[in-house]
Amino acid sequence: MLTRHMFAATVCAVTASFATAEEITLPNQIAWTAYGTGSAGYNQSIAIGAAMQEKLGVNLRVLPGKNDIARTEPLRQGKVQFSANGVGGSFMAQEGVFQFGAENWGPQPVRILAANNGGTFGLSLAVAEEACEKAGKPGCEGFTYSDLKGLRVAWIKGAPALNVNNEAYLAYGGLTWDDVEIVEFGGYGDSWTGMIDGTVDAAFAATTSGRVYEAASAPRGVFWPPIDPANAEGLARMQSIAPFFSPITATVGGNIDGTDGIQTAGYAYPVLMTYSEQNTDLTYNMTKALHELYDEYTGKAPSVDGWSLDKQNFTWVAPYHEGAIRYYQETGLWSDEAQAHNDKLIERQNALQKAWEELKAEAPENWQEAWEAKRRKALAAGGFEVVF
């Protein structure tokens, strides 16, 4: 099996088979993971892959994964070079929390190439219109997240990012998981099958997901409860759970297209990422291809426009790969502020990884409890923000 350690060493050995166009040099085949088929992340990956095939002769193989672990494990093993992941595979993997806090995982040395920061679609906890009636709000008139009390909310096994997102929306409404009925699903797609067949009343999604459009046209319908950007207390509760969220106006998505949009929340999604050890030249050229082929794939999938160069956020919650930084330096977009922020994030990762190795040497009986305490202590000692 080709491990991720071996992959970086083999990249230079296959340069003779590289396809080159407009000074973009990539292998004839690239592989990355993405969210499940029908998701916004998968659809955007396919659109980007079509542009790479047409202009560079490069075949992008997209492997769908049901959850954060399924998307990140192939990257860790070196079976793929990149992942169009979300906050689970980037921020939470970096932090070593939830599924990434298991003894066989730990804080991961993730690095970003680019992210979709389009802001035209939301990442929201949707409610079946039928469920509004159960809450005494027929037609969903006046329905807010506080009205989810007692209703059925999706919980995805092995997908802490999705579950934390749901928890954040519940917190906005002044609720916790104890206030709702938890319905477990094996993957994101399964939860939306449940939204259609009536198994669950609320599930998380990008507003542009294919499953959302499917559910919006089904008998139960889809409703997006509003997020009020002036509700400081609600937003504080939300961001205490998920600091990567911010209020936005979503203008595209199921039951949104053709309207003035809805007030909801969002964050960067998808996030094209890799590991720190990935070959710098490969990462540089992948970043360059993503941006310089933008005109070829823009408009080819819902919200794919958010990958544009002018929408990149260089002070997000996870660091950029040095290969990507090289490209952004060439474009004149990388600043001293961005570099200082990146360096601080790498210091944060190093502190977490050091704490992880120390705990492994201690071999505590209750790993989860010990790691949670060790992690928070390491972050506080290093002067880093303690999240989770």
Side-chain angles (χ1 to χ4, degrees), residues 30-384:
I30 294 286
W32 73 40
T33 59
Y35 281 69
T37 54
S39 69
Y42 183 85
N43 292 341
Q44 291 175 27
S45 297
I46 295 300
I48 292 168
M52 291 173 62
Q53 179 66 56
E54 180 179 351
K55 294 299 179 180
L56 304 177
V58 172
N59 178 39
L60 174 60
R61 184 181 176 212
V62 181
L63 282 66
K66 280 189 173 183
N67 54 49
D68 299 325
I69 296 297
R71 287 184 290 275
T72 309
E73 181 64 25
L75 183 65
R76 181 166 73 153
Q77 292 185 12
K79 293 180 177 179
V80 301
Q81 297 102 320
F82 306 105
S83 176
N85 225 312
V87 293
S90 54
F91 182 53
M92 296 182 190
Q94 165 188 279
E95 298 294 305
V97 293
F98 305 109
Q99 297 286 11
F100 295 102
E103 287 188 70
N104 63 328
W105 274 95
Q108 301 295 297
V110 303
R111 295 291 188 273
I112 297 173
L113 280 71
N116 186 319
N117 293 288
T120 58
F121 67 98
L123 291 151
S124 183
L125 181 60
V127 176
E129 290 178 347
E130 180 184 276
C132 294
E133 298 184 18
K134 293 169 58 177
K137 300 287 179 68
C140 296
E141 184 70 29
F143 187 99
T144 68
Y145 284 106
S146 62
D147 293 310
L148 282 171
K149 187 170 184 177
L151 298 185
R152 300 167 299 171
V153 179
W155 174 280
I156 312 302
K157 298 177 183 178
L162 297 179
N163 298 328
V164 165
N165 292 343
N166 285 355
E167 184 179 355
Y169 274 94
L170 290 173
Y172 175 86
L175 305 177
T176 71
W177 285 110
D178 292 335
D179 296 308
V180 299
E181 180 182 342
I182 295 173
V183 182
E184 293 189 353
F185 295 95
Y188 158 82
D190 297 336
S191 69
W192 277 84
T193 297
M195 285 284 282
I196 294 170
D197 68 19
T199 306
V200 72
D201 298 316
F204 183 83
T207 59
T208 52
S209 168
R211 299 309 302 274
V212 169
Y213 282 100
E214 183 181 354
S217 63
R220 299 189 78 216
V222 168
F223 175 70
W224 306 100
I227 290 290
D228 182 0
N231 182 352
E233 292 183 0
L235 288 174
R237 291 193 300 267
M238 180 183 218
Q239 292 170 339
S240 70
I241 302 295
F244 37 81
F245 268 119
S246 59
I248 67 164
T249 300
T251 56
V252 292
N255 274 1
I256 301 174
D257 296 340
T259 72
D260 293 333
I262 61 163
Q263 292 293 325
T264 186
Y267 54 79
Y269 164 78
V271 179
L272 186 61
M273 46 138 329
T274 188
Y275 275 38
S276 61
E277 300 172 7
Q278 187 57 270
N279 180 273
T280 301
D281 288 338
L282 176 64
T283 305
Y284 165 80
N285 280 282
M286 185 67 251
T287 306
K288 187 173 185 177
L290 184 67
H291 290 305
E292 300 198 4
L293 294 178
Y294 176 78
D295 288 343
E296 305 301 324
Y297 63 78
T298 184
K300 300 296 177 62
S303 296
V304 74
D305 301 359
W307 288 101
S308 66
L309 194 56
D310 63 346
K311 290 185 171 66
Q312 297 309 302
N313 177 7
F314 301 123
T315 55
W316 199 52
V317 293
Y320 281 75
H321 193 282
E322 59 183 320
I325 292 173
R326 185 204 303 174
Y327 175 75
Y328 295 124
Q329 287 173 331
E330 291 179 355
T331 63
L333 294 175
W334 193 256
S335 65
D336 291 342
E337 178 190 5
Q339 189 62 54
H341 182 79
N342 216 67
D343 292 343
K344 192 69 173 177
L345 287 172
I346 293 174
E347 289 177 17
R348 180 187 182 95
Q349 287 190 1
N350 291 340
L352 288 169
Q353 288 157 17
K354 179 182 178 183
W356 182 267
E357 293 303 321
E358 289 175 355
L359 192 64
K360 284 174 63 178
E362 297 169 14
E365 290 185 7
N366 188 332
W367 178 270
Q368 192 64 40
E369 182 178 327
W371 169 238
E372 289 176 1
K374 183 82 171 180
R375 179 183 170 278
R376 293 191 185 103
K377 183 178 179 180
L379 289 173
F384 303 107

